[in-house]
Amino acid sequence: MPTSEISSSKNVRKQYIYKFSGGRAEGDASMKNLLGGKGANLAEMANIGLPVPPGFTISTEVCTWYYEHQQSYPENLFESDIPEALRSVEEALGKKFGDPENPLLISVRSGARASMPGMMDTILNLGLNDRTVEGLAAKSSNPRFAWDCYRRFVQMYGDVVLGLRPADKKQKDPFEEILEAEKEKLGVREDTELGTTELQEIVRLYKKAILEHTGRTFPDDPHEQLQGAVGAVFESWNNERAQVYRRLNHIPGYWGTACNVQAMVFGNMGEDCGTGVAFTRDAATGENVFYGEFLMNAQGEDVVAGIRTPLEIARLKEEKPEIYRQLDGIRTTLEQHYRDMMDIEFTIESGTLYMLQCRVGKRTGPAALKIAVDMFREGLIDDREALLRIEPEQLNQLLRPVFDMKEKQAAIEAGRLLAKGLNAGPGAATGKICFNATDAAELSRRGEAVILVRIETSPEDIKGMAVSEGILTERGGMTSHAALVARQMGKVCVAGCGALSIDYQKGEMRVEGSEIVLREGDDISLDGTTGEVIAGSLPTRNSEIVEVLVDGTRKPEDAPSWEVYRQLMEWADRYRRLQIRANADQPDQAATALTFGAEGIGLCRTEHMFFGGERIQAMREMILADNLEERNTAIQKLLPYQRDDFYGLFRTMGSRPVTIRLLDPPLHEFLPGSDEEIMRLALKMGKPYEHVKERIADLHEFNPMLGLRGCRLGILHPEITIMQVQAIMEAACRLRQEGLEVVPEIMVPLVSTHRELEITAELIHKTARSVVAEQWTGVRYLVGTMIEVPRAAITSAEIARAADFFSYGTNDLTQMTLGMSRDDSGQYLPSYQQHDVFARNPFESIDIAGVGKLISMSAADGRSVKPDLKLGICGEHGGDPASVEFCHKAGLNYVSCSPYRVPVARLAAARAALLD
Ligand code: PEP
Ligand code: MG
């Protein structure tokens, strides 16, 4: 009967503990929420007959209970539930917890729903004390091994449970200090040179240090040890690095972690023992090869922590062919069973293979695409599942820049290649060297591109990694924390670069076999695809896909990533229901958007057409005009520009829809700021400097974002709207005469009442009619409005009567709904996110509960009066996958985003449709 707690209301025993052992488990892979990823997969592996050491998982509900009940546990957990589960493990192995003759030793590990590599705590070799260590020594016939296990256990326990650790990162680890002092006293260099007697002395010194520094005695009673370890695992759910990681990965705090208690197997008992980690396919490229690393005579964390540089898995084939054969068989079993690329941890104890963990493997964007497409072709998954396997942001990695090969080659020939490490996270990064996370954060705050350089990264470095362009480490393998976390973040990473020697104290890095010394702040470049580390900065170049699609400088057959990209986009287009448009103001931007698959333009910001050269001049003259006549003169200068621009845009887009928004210039963005500029403008306008300055002062607004912009401008100065509509219609007429039918969508910005839209729409219709009459050419057009002011969203039913379409301007709608300036909120939003006020920046991803609710309401109201009202979104959120999913659910017709985000939006839209 499962171990459990009696629920008083229903008299049903609630299960808190789930056991597993060879061939049988109480849980399975579907129970991640309750058992955490690690626990669920241990259960699944046991169920499919893989060699898993027996154990049990304490569910995440216990962690939640722990935090909800002032760090206490459900009744009977330690009194009867855990002892009962331990008994099953004892029976399976014929060992006993705490038995001095034949002790059962256990590991206690954290494991949340989502993998959080290295962020929480783990304790190994638990159950050892002065008596059981002798039992282990006798059973293993290896006293040195037994005492080394004990030493490691006391150290881990002392640190994780009893809290003896350096106060800050600059101080030395107290346990390491004791170890180093002993080694020096004995005149030995390596830990392996320490004998049993020396290890016994070190254990004694460790315990003494624990008592002296923490006032706590190291517990001898294994049950007390276990209780302490379980508590520490739950506590580690809320340590600082876990919190940072959760924030970065949008993992909510209420999930909690499970705690896995499992019989120890030893990879460090001799030369026929070992431990390793592997991926069933290459996690960097996606190639279908077994990829991993191992170390003989080593214990679990040695491989991932990067302390010893491990060997490639292919070497295991030579050294232990039978084990390799077995492991390779497990690789196939797991892939067939999970139908995905898996990441595994294994241990070999005295020639027997054990599986300690498996989970779906983290992978780079290019690998994710390749694996999904390959697995479809291998018949493991269908096209729908292939799409759901790829996070839209992973696709984005394929669009990211790489180094220009010629420039890189020249740098290498000039002797700038410093070293080569492992190509742990692909892409090209260039920036300034920083040796610690805090400095990296500071430098990046000042707007510098940063490369974080560490001997090895620890999870504490996560803050620094998040702000860096790239990460370089001296030690560690492909599966080290640095590599795992970097890949997950989509960061460029070169790991295990042994030719570098980093000295934190001196703030410098030397290159083996040369005189080269690099210092903090020096420029450096990393090629995460090849592992090359190059001195100085290097220009980056567009990715293969961009070269094929946008630049046309590469043939598809010369771009290995092209075929998977093409296939994926074909599938995405098959399933998505949302149309994808782009925000573009110039023909070249429109052309780029088209190559990425845009189906129209959702927003052409006409004020952006006036940023350059002579145009800004005419625009300023219009804004600063003293009377109608002057304004008309300026406007007439703008007309030909506009007509040509619209013609170019329509022509590029063919018959696809193009939404042109009437002028919406927050005045502060367009008026000259410095005296010198004002002087130049005055000269050009033929007006006195003082007069122009005064006029600018008159126009000054305290809240330009809430000022004379959008439709207000056109209502005050109808001649501006007339000119723009004239230009749009004349361009459309010209194209019609040339044989191309375009249906311009004329969009009115910043409407808050239906009257504003009615007044503007009337003017648009009047002007359009007169152009059509004059040109003798029939052109259809639509008139719609942006919904970007909360009042407009609330009164959408009235507004819809005068509109053919709505486009949600979520930049302004967010700004005004939240009452947060879109320009300045960067100052406090990061700390708002830290306080869980928002899970994500609301200017990046739609605030679904607030802004989202307004959109849904407005969409329903609008369509209640006009069932075929066309709905879209054109704020920056249009390229954010979570927001795209929201738009799909809200029943919008399209999303519009920046050209480079179009592929991401296509994929996100398909995923939303498949998940619907
Ligand atoms: C918006 O407000 O979302 C929008 C698209 O308009 P702009 O960003 O130009 O204000
Ligand atoms: Mg706006």
Side-chain angles (χ1 to χ4, degrees):
M1 178 173 186
T3 39
S4 40
E5 188 225 352
I6 295 181
S7 142
S8 52
S9 56
K10 291 191 196 150
N11 227 17
V12 174
R13 285 175 74 84
K14 187 172 177 73
Q15 186 169 357
Y16 283 122
I17 289 185
Y18 294 77
K19 292 178 281 193
F20 53 84
S21 84
R24 223 164 41 87
E26 290 176 349
D28 62 46
S30 69
M31 294 163 71
K32 283 202 179 66
N33 294 3
L34 200 59
L35 304 182
K38 189 186 293 248
N41 284 324
L42 279 169
E44 188 78 11
M45 283 199 293
N47 282 332
I48 59 172
L50 298 186
V52 175
F56 54 91
T57 303
I58 307 172
S59 80
T60 53
E61 287 181 346
V62 178
C63 183
T64 329
W65 172 290
Y66 178 82
Y67 282 107
E68 281 173 357
H69 296 80
Q70 290 90 37
Q71 268 93 328
S72 68
Y73 298 96
E75 213 180 333
N76 292 332
L77 188 77
F78 286 99
E79 292 71 23
S80 57
D81 295 352
I82 289 181
E84 199 270 320
L86 267 174
R87 261 193 302 283
S88 304
V89 182
E90 290 172 340
E91 277 161 24
L93 295 175
K95 298 181 180 181
K96 231 175 135 32
F97 195 50
D99 181 359
E101 306 291 321
N102 188 16
L104 167 69
L105 302 186
I106 53 179
S107 63
V108 180
R109 296 170 196 261
S110 54
R113 277 191 217 185
S115 131
M116 296 171 57
M119 299 299 141
M120 291 183 287
D121 288 328
T122 285
I123 308 244
L124 303 176
N125 307 339
L126 191 138
L128 281 172
N129 57 29
D130 291 350
R131 277 163 296 122
T132 54
V133 71
E134 296 302 344
L136 180 64
K139 277 276 166 196
S140 64
S141 315
N142 190 343
R144 191 203 171 276
F145 156 74
W147 279 91
D148 193 39
C149 285
Y150 194 16
R151 174 189 71 82
R152 289 172 190 247
F153 171 49
V154 176
Q155 172 168 358
M156 253 188 230
Y157 201 89
D159 170 357
V160 171
V161 184
L162 303 173
L164 176 54
R165 62 178 75 103
D168 62 57
K169 288 200 80 186
K170 290 200 186 95
Q171 282 177 15
K172 267 202 135 181
D173 180 87
F175 295 106
E176 289 303 319
E177 233 166 354
I178 294 172
L179 188 66
E180 291 307 316
E182 276 306 288
K183 285 199 297 199
E184 204 175 308
K185 207 164 80 190
L186 297 162
V188 300
R189 283 178 54 134
E190 301 293 330
D191 294 6
T192 45
E193 293 175 70
L194 296 166
T196 309
T197 325
E198 288 83 34
L199 289 166
Q200 285 170 341
E201 174 61 5
I202 291 168
V203 167
R204 192 187 66 77
L205 292 172
Y206 277 3
K207 288 185 180 176
K208 189 166 158 254
I210 291 171
L211 183 62
E212 272 172 21
H213 289 93
T214 69
R216 300 168 76 183
T217 312
F218 175 82
D220 279 332
D221 174 9
H223 290 279
E224 193 184 336
Q225 291 174 355
L226 179 55
Q227 182 153 357
V230 171
V233 164
F234 290 151
E235 281 293 319
S236 71
W237 173 250
N238 264 345
N239 69 30
E240 198 202 334
R241 58 181 198 247
Q243 291 191 37
V244 171
Y245 187 91
R246 285 209 294 272
R247 256 194 318 276
L248 287 170
N249 292 281
H250 317 302
I251 298 173
Y254 68 82
W255 280 4
T257 180
C259 178
N260 298 291
V261 178
Q262 192 177 21
M264 283 295 302
V265 281
F266 292 98
N268 57 340
M269 221 155 53
E271 288 310 316
D272 59 349
C273 302
T275 185
V277 287
F279 291 99
T280 56
R281 300 189 185 207
D282 187 326
T285 64
E287 237 178 295
N288 191 358
V289 291
F290 198 16
Y291 195 94
E293 293 153 338
F294 74 102
L295 276 171
M296 292 313 279
N297 204 3
Q299 199 169 18
E301 296 303 294
D302 296 350
V303 180
V304 285
I307 292 162
R308 277 164 63 190
T309 297
L311 305 174
E312 279 179 25
I313 204 90
R315 286 277 296 276
L316 188 65
K317 197 173 183 176
E318 295 160 25
E319 292 190 12
K320 300 272 180 263
E322 180 47 31
I323 296 278
Y324 181 85
R325 200 190 53 73
Q326 217 184 324
L327 198 60
D328 201 35
I330 290 175
R331 170 194 175 211
T332 312
T333 307
L334 284 174
E335 280 216 345
Q336 297 288 328
H337 184 74
Y338 282 90
R339 299 176 303 113
D340 207 341
M341 187 271 269
M342 304 300 288
D343 163 355
I344 59 176
E345 265 183 54
F346 60 92
T347 283
I348 308 157
E349 182 184 277
S350 309
T352 306
L353 177 67
Y354 292 97
M355 297 302 294
L356 294 190
Q357 175 167 310
C358 87
R359 60 187 171 197
V360 170
K362 300 252 182 286
R363 60 204 76 179
T364 63
L369 263 74
K370 178 155 172 54
I371 290 170
V373 173
D374 283 354
M375 285 196 165
F376 168 84
R377 289 176 183 161
E378 288 160 28
L380 284 175
I381 56 175
D382 63 15
D383 52 358
R384 293 180 176 87
E385 192 154 358
L387 286 167
L388 291 172
R389 289 279 172 88
I390 298 157
E391 293 293 335
E393 286 304 334
Q394 289 182 312
L395 171 60
N396 198 30
Q397 284 181 34
L398 249 79
L399 306 170
R400 285 196 332 208
V402 292
F403 286 129
D404 182 307
M405 280 308 281
K406 278 202 198 114
E407 292 273 356
K408 193 176 100 175
Q409 203 45 43
I412 292 173
E413 278 162 21
R416 282 166 55 194
L417 179 64
L418 298 173
K420 215 168 162 186
L422 297 169
N423 53 339
T430 198
K432 297 207 178 305
I433 293 178
C434 251
F435 289 114
N436 69 66
T438 315
D439 292 351
E442 178 51 36
L443 208 60
S444 121
R445 225 185 335 268
R446 281 191 258 135
E448 297 279 4
V450 175
I451 303 288
L452 183 67
V453 180
R454 301 285 295 162
I455 296 175
E456 65 208 16
T457 64
S458 71
E460 278 89 10
D461 289 327
I462 185 127
K463 262 191 260 177
M465 294 170 76
V467 298
S468 300
E469 303 298 311
I471 296 131
L472 170 64
T473 69
E474 184 181 322
R475 295 196 210 138
M478 285 296 271
T479 43
S480 64
H481 287 146
L484 276 182
V485 177
R487 269 204 291 277
Q488 198 174 334
M489 289 177 157
K491 296 278 174 190
V492 175
C493 178
V494 175
C497 199
L500 301 176
S501 157
I502 298 162
D503 187 329
Y504 293 144
Q505 257 76 42
K506 289 192 186 146
E508 63 178 40
M509 172 170 87
R510 292 182 174 271
V511 182
E512 194 176 78
S514 83
E515 296 292 297
I516 301 173
V517 182
L518 285 117
R519 302 211 159 71
E520 191 130 35
D522 286 352
D523 285 318
I524 195 169
S525 300
L526 306 181
D527 189 332
T529 312
T530 60
E532 289 158 313
V533 181
I534 296 157
S537 62
L538 272 180
T540 49
R541 189 180 52 78
N542 287 342
S543 75
E544 262 176 28
I545 307 283
V546 172
E547 284 186 334
V548 171
L549 280 178
V550 184
D551 308 342
T553 50
R554 189 185 285 263
K555 290 199 210 107
E557 56 272 28
D558 296 335
S561 53
W562 168 256
E563 178 45 28
V564 283
Y565 170 83
R566 190 204 56 74
Q567 177 65 82
L568 185 78
M569 288 293 105
E570 187 188 306
W571 289 333
D573 293 344
R574 186 177 303 166
Y575 292 107
R576 73 185 157 87
R577 295 206 289 276
L578 274 173
Q579 284 162 24
I580 312 296
R581 298 195 190 183
N583 294 353
D585 320 313
Q586 309 289 345
D588 61 334
Q589 291 172 4
T592 302
L594 279 180
T595 63
F596 282 127
E599 297 165 296
I601 288 179
L603 174 64
C604 163
R605 291 180 166 100
T606 50
E607 62 280 2
H608 286 189
M609 295 170 146
F610 298 109
F611 276 155
E614 283 299 300
R615 297 170 169 219
I616 186 97
Q617 163 75 16
M619 178 82 169
R620 285 171 171 170
E621 283 174 21
M622 180 187 81
I623 293 170
L624 295 170
D626 286 319
N627 52 48
L628 184 60
E629 199 189 332
E630 274 183 26
R631 187 168 307 106
N632 269 331
T633 312
I635 282 173
Q636 286 317 308
K637 286 190 202 163
L638 292 173
L639 178 69
Y641 291 135
Q642 286 271 268
R643 198 173 34 220
D644 289 354
D645 287 341
F646 296 142
Y647 176 84
L649 212 53
F650 290 145
R651 176 120 241 133
T652 307
M653 294 305 289
S655 52
R656 295 173 190 84
V658 176
T659 307
I660 298 198
R661 182 176 75 181
L662 299 180
L663 211 56
D664 178 16
L667 290 184
H668 66 310
E669 287 178 16
F670 286 88
L671 292 176
S674 69
D675 279 350
E676 203 185 317
E677 276 180 307
I678 297 174
M679 180 73 84
R680 227 176 304 134
L681 181 63
L683 271 174
K684 283 202 176 138
M685 289 174 73
K687 293 198 171 180
Y689 162 82
E690 285 74 20
H691 177 80
V692 176
K693 194 164 165 107
E694 214 176 286
R695 183 87 183 99
I696 290 173
D698 286 348
L699 288 173
H700 170 79
E701 292 175 327
F702 283 104
N703 290 310
M705 276 296 184
L706 303 177
L708 181 58
R709 55 179 289 224
C711 64
R712 296 163 202 170
L713 195 68
I715 290 173
L716 211 66
H717 305 302
E719 53 281 9
I720 300 177
T721 303
I722 293 171
M723 177 278 285
Q724 287 204 292
V725 175
Q726 188 184 340
I728 294 168
M729 294 305 290
E730 284 177 1
C733 286
R734 185 173 152 202
L735 282 160
R736 182 72 205 258
Q737 287 151 10
E738 290 170 11
L740 182 67
E741 187 181 0
V742 295
V743 183
E745 299 180 354
I746 302 173
M747 181 155 77
V748 184
L750 220 74
V751 159
S752 54
T753 71
H754 70 285
R755 273 303 293 152
E756 286 171 317
L757 181 61
E758 282 164 9
I759 295 167
T760 313
E762 230 173 83
L763 195 60
I764 294 170
H765 291 310
K766 197 167 148 213
T767 311
R769 274 196 301 270
S770 85
V771 173
V772 164
E774 200 172 288
Q775 302 271 330
W776 288 79
T777 311
V779 167
R780 282 196 313 126
Y781 63 94
L782 305 179
V783 176
T785 180
M786 296 199 60
I787 300 287
E788 52 184 343
V789 178
R791 192 184 190 284
I794 294 165
T795 58
S796 287
E798 285 170 324
I799 290 179
R801 289 182 220 286
D804 298 316
F805 64 89
F806 283 175
S807 178
Y808 293 98
T810 43
N811 304 332
D812 275 311
L813 193 57
T814 301
Q815 165 168 266
M816 294 189 218
T817 303
L818 272 58
M820 285 182 178
S821 158
R822 56 196 263 194
D823 298 318
D824 309 315
S825 55
Q827 287 174 20
Y828 52 84
L829 272 180
S831 69
Y832 257 48
Q833 282 169 264
Q834 267 170 31
H835 285 93
D836 273 341
V837 179
F838 297 111
R840 296 195 51 195
N841 180 334
F843 288 102
E844 214 175 272
S845 190
I846 288 185
D847 154 41
I848 291 177
V851 176
K853 195 165 177 181
L854 277 180
I855 293 176
S856 302
M857 202 175 76
S858 149
D861 287 355
R863 283 199 176 139
S864 71
V865 288
K866 235 180 220 172
D868 57 350
L869 186 70
K870 192 153 49 162
L871 301 175
I873 174 183
C874 64
E876 286 311 290
H877 304 84
D880 164 65
S883 310
V884 172
E885 191 181 338
F886 165 80
C887 293
H888 170 89
K889 287 189 186 143
L892 267 52
N893 299 90
Y894 68 85
V895 298
S896 189
C897 57
S898 76
Y900 279 78
R901 296 295 290 187
V902 167
V904 172
R906 284 160 78 190
L907 176 60
R911 286 166 54 97
L914 291 172
L915 289 170
D916 199 355

